[in-house]
């Protein structure tokens, strides 16, 4: 089954996450599909930029708890988005949760529409936004990160833009993307690659320095009794035992 739909227009490839049955959750298959598609874009000299979009009402619901990817594979996907020598632009007009937030934050530019909502729900499941902190913390206002990492509250596109998570909140996402995509089409491939390298260098060093420790921390949390209770409660649509 194809979970990624690829289209192309004037050098801009759109990769659409197309797994609405599980709200585009990060399954092993979806992560592999996005990685393969990005590798093909990197190797294609005619591709100037990549747009990451979605079908349905959810951009990405986070990890697929029934068929989760290997943590190293998901970290590899985020790093590949950051390191791709071509701009990656997120087109979001739906819900973004947990690991989906890390994928979104890995993108260079993100425009969010009025149907967008965002939440870091890990703390409510007995987990923490460990590996996705690699992309989230360099983007988000530190005060906002403290609040939303800890509380799991939901927030809208305007707040996402205020905190730096997305570039722009727009009533019409496609209209807002017109000058962005026109700009990258006018830029030279070399100029784009060199400019992106400047703004992503610090993030890539953080991956190299901290990714393995964060993967281990994430695995430890997932294996804990609290996380098992949190995920079971989520799947059973009930409150976990610690809710007061």
């Amino acid at each position: 089954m194809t979970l990624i739909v690829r289209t192309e227009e004037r050098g801009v490839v759109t990769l659409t996450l197309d797994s609405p049955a599980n709200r585009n959750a990060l399954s092993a298959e979806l992560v592999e599909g996005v990685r393969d598609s990005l590798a093909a874009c990197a190797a294609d000299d005619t591709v100037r930029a990549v747009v990451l979009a979605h079908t349905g009402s959810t951009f990405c619901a986070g990890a697929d708890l029934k068929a989760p990817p290997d943590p190293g594979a998901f970290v590899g996907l985020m790093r590949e988005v950051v390191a791709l020598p071509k701009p990656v632009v997120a087109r979001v007009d739906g819900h973004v949760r947990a690991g989906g937030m890390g994928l979104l934050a890995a993108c260079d530019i993100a425009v969010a529409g009025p149907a967008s909502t965002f939440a870091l729900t890990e703390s409510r499941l007995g987990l923490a936004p460990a590996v996705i902190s690699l992309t989230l913390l360099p983007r988000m206002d530190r005060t906002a990160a403290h609040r939303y990492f800890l509380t799991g509250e939901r927030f809208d596109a305007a707040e996402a833009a205020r905190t730096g998570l997305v570039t722009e909140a727009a009533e019409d996402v496609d209209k807002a993307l017109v000058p962005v995509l026109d700009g990258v089409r006018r830029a030279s491939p070399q100029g784009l690659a060199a400019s992106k390298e400047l703004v992503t260098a610090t993030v890539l060093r953080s991956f190299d320095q901290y990714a393995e420790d964060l993967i281990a921390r994430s695995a430890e949390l997932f294996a804990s009794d609290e996380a098992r209770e949190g995920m079971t409660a989520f799947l059973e649509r009930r409150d976990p035992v610690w809710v007061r």
Side-chain angles (χ1 to χ4, degrees):
M1 182 173 67
T2 301
L3 302 182
I4 310 296
V5 176
R6 172 179 168 143
T7 57
E8 184 170 357
E9 182 180 0
R10 295 174 51 214
V12 174
V13 169
T14 298
L15 302 177
T16 302
L17 307 182
D18 189 26
S19 183
N22 68 350
R23 301 188 302 149
N24 292 320
L26 293 162
S27 64
E29 186 178 0
L30 183 68
V31 168
E32 181 181 5
V34 179
R35 294 185 75 177
D36 289 346
S37 297
L38 288 174
C41 291
D44 188 343
D45 291 339
T46 68
V47 175
R48 191 62 53 83
V50 176
V51 173
L52 197 60
H54 63 98
T55 58
S57 62
T58 301
F59 174 76
C60 180
D64 186 337
L65 299 181
K66 296 180 179 179
D70 175 80
F74 176 52
V75 170
L77 169 59
M78 291 192 297
R79 194 186 193 286
E80 285 158 19
V81 172
V82 175
L84 195 77
K86 303 173 185 192
V88 181
V89 179
R91 183 202 181 281
V92 181
D93 200 18
H95 309 303
V96 192
R97 298 290 185 270
M101 298 273 279
L103 179 60
L104 171 65
C107 297
D108 301 291
I109 298 169
V111 177
S116 303
T117 67
F118 307 84
L120 290 157
T121 54
E122 287 87 346
S123 66
R124 299 186 179 191
L125 298 175
L127 303 169
V131 295
I132 64 174
S133 68
L134 289 164
T135 57
L136 283 166
L137 291 180
R139 295 192 73 93
M140 289 187 76
D141 170 81
R142 184 66 60 157
T143 301
H146 274 282
R147 175 174 180 171
Y148 295 119
F149 272 48
L150 296 174
T151 68
E153 293 170 272
R154 186 172 64 184
F155 54 97
D156 63 12
E159 176 71 352
R162 186 195 70 78
T163 66
L165 175 63
V166 302
T167 311
E168 181 179 352
E171 285 299 313
D172 186 329
V173 178
D174 292 319
K175 183 177 180 180
L177 284 174
V178 169
V180 172
L181 299 182
D182 181 61
V184 297
R185 285 184 173 114
R186 291 175 179 274
S188 81
Q190 175 177 283
L192 286 173
S195 297
K196 178 168 178 175
E197 187 176 8
L198 290 173
V199 295
T200 59
T202 301
V203 180
L204 291 174
R205 284 197 294 270
S206 293
F207 270 87
D208 295 339
Q209 186 172 356
Y210 300 117
E212 289 188 12
D213 287 344
L214 290 170
I215 289 171
R217 184 180 305 179
S218 180
E220 182 179 352
L221 288 168
F222 265 96
S224 69
D225 291 339
E226 279 195 18
R228 279 192 289 272
E229 164 61 14
M231 289 184 283
T232 300
F234 174 79
L235 293 172
E236 294 177 351
R237 298 182 182 275
R238 61 171 175 81
D239 284 340
V241 295
W242 56 72
V243 171
R244 296 291 182 264

